[in-house]
Amino acid sequence: MDITLARARIDILRVEHRDLDDAIAALLQSNTPDQLQIARLKKRKLRLRDELAELEDRLIPDIIA
């Protein structure tokens, strides 16, 4: 993957991750939080975090000391 594309994807994933944080917080604040929806959003957030970590690992070369 091209470095520029990877960085752009990372930026998009970070925004989506923050948006999910906001959505989860809003659901938790409601009178009757939808636990199933919250669980789905948290699962999606974890997948985003994993994808972010994978992309960031590709951009940072391994340095053997």
Side-chain angles (χ1 to χ4, degrees), residues 10-26 41 44-46 48-49 52 56:
I10 287 171
D11 290 340
I12 290 168
L13 292 174
R14 284 183 178 151
V15 169
E16 189 174 346
H17 194 268
R18 276 192 305 268
D19 291 346
L20 284 171
D21 271 338
D22 294 341
I24 291 167
L41 292 176
R44 173 73 180 140
K45 190 175 155 190
L46 287 172
L48 288 176
R49 188 189 69 195
L52 268 167
E56 288 170 345

Side-chain angles (χ1 to χ4, degrees), residues 15-51:
V15 169
E16 189 174 346
H17 194 268
R18 276 192 305 268
D19 291 346
L20 284 171
D21 271 338
D22 294 341
I24 291 167
L27 282 171
L28 289 171
Q29 300 268 333
S30 68
N31 291 336
T32 55
D34 182 351
Q35 295 301 321
L36 182 59
Q37 183 66 16
I38 291 169
R40 287 180 180 150
L41 292 176
K42 285 182 176 182
K43 201 173 205 180
R44 173 73 180 140
K45 190 175 155 190
L46 287 172
R47 284 195 303 266
L48 288 176
R49 188 189 69 195
D50 290 345
E51 188 176 346

